[in-house]
Structures are given as C-alpha cells and as structure tokens.
C-alpha cells in the first residue's frame, strides 16, 4: 500500500485516521515542486507549527494514483 511504499522510499509516515497521510522525507525540502512538474500535487507542511520544510501531506487516492505518486517520487 501507500504507507509501505512511502516507507520504502525513506519517509517517516505518521499514522492517521483520515484519508490523508503526513510524512517526512528527511532532507528533501522541494518534493512539492518536483512532483508538481510531473503533474502531481501534494501539500507542503513547512508552515505547520513544529514541522520543517521536509514534511508533506498526501491524500490517499485510488490504487493507480497512489502507484503513480510512488513512481514519481
């Protein structure tokens, strides 16, 4: 699934109950911009209190869309 895929890419995923995943990709502060160039929109959480520029939020989507996200990363 999406959580395991993100973890395999080196992300620290915070468990949640909604259809969003909060994760950190240590040292990568431009993931939002990189993915946007590939037509994928994710949320930067750099402005969230207590989080840094390498924190992001993604929506859990269809299997195909989740695979596309992981492949782009």
């Amino acid at each position: 699934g999406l959580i395991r895929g993100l973890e395999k890419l080196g992300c620290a995923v915070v468990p949640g109950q909604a259809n969003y995943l909060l994760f950190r990709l240590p040292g990568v502060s431009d993931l939002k911009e990189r993915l946007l160039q590939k037509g994928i929109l994710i949320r930067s959480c750099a402005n969230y209190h207590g989080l840094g520029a390498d924190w992001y939020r993604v929506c859990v989507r269809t299997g195909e869309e989740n695979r596309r996200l992981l492949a782009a990363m």
Side-chain angles (χ1 to χ4, degrees):
L2 183 56
I3 293 174
R4 283 197 186 126
L6 289 169
E7 289 174 340
K8 285 181 182 179
L9 292 170
C11 299
V13 181
V14 177
Q17 306 245 339
N19 64 333
Y20 293 98
L21 291 177
L22 177 69
F23 69 93
R24 180 178 183 216
L25 188 53
V28 180
S29 61
D30 63 346
L31 183 61
K32 178 183 175 183
E33 292 77 14
R34 287 191 212 179
L35 291 177
L36 192 56
Q37 292 176 359
K38 298 178 181 188
I40 299 172
L41 182 62
I42 66 170
R43 171 85 160 88
S44 169
C45 297
N47 65 340
Y48 285 31
H49 181 72
L51 301 183
D54 55 0
W55 283 89
Y56 303 93
R57 188 183 76 184
V58 294
C59 184
V60 178
R61 307 284 300 216
T62 67
E64 177 58 35
E65 289 171 313
N66 292 341
R67 285 188 289 277
R68 185 172 166 239
L69 167 66
L70 294 172
M73 288 178 65

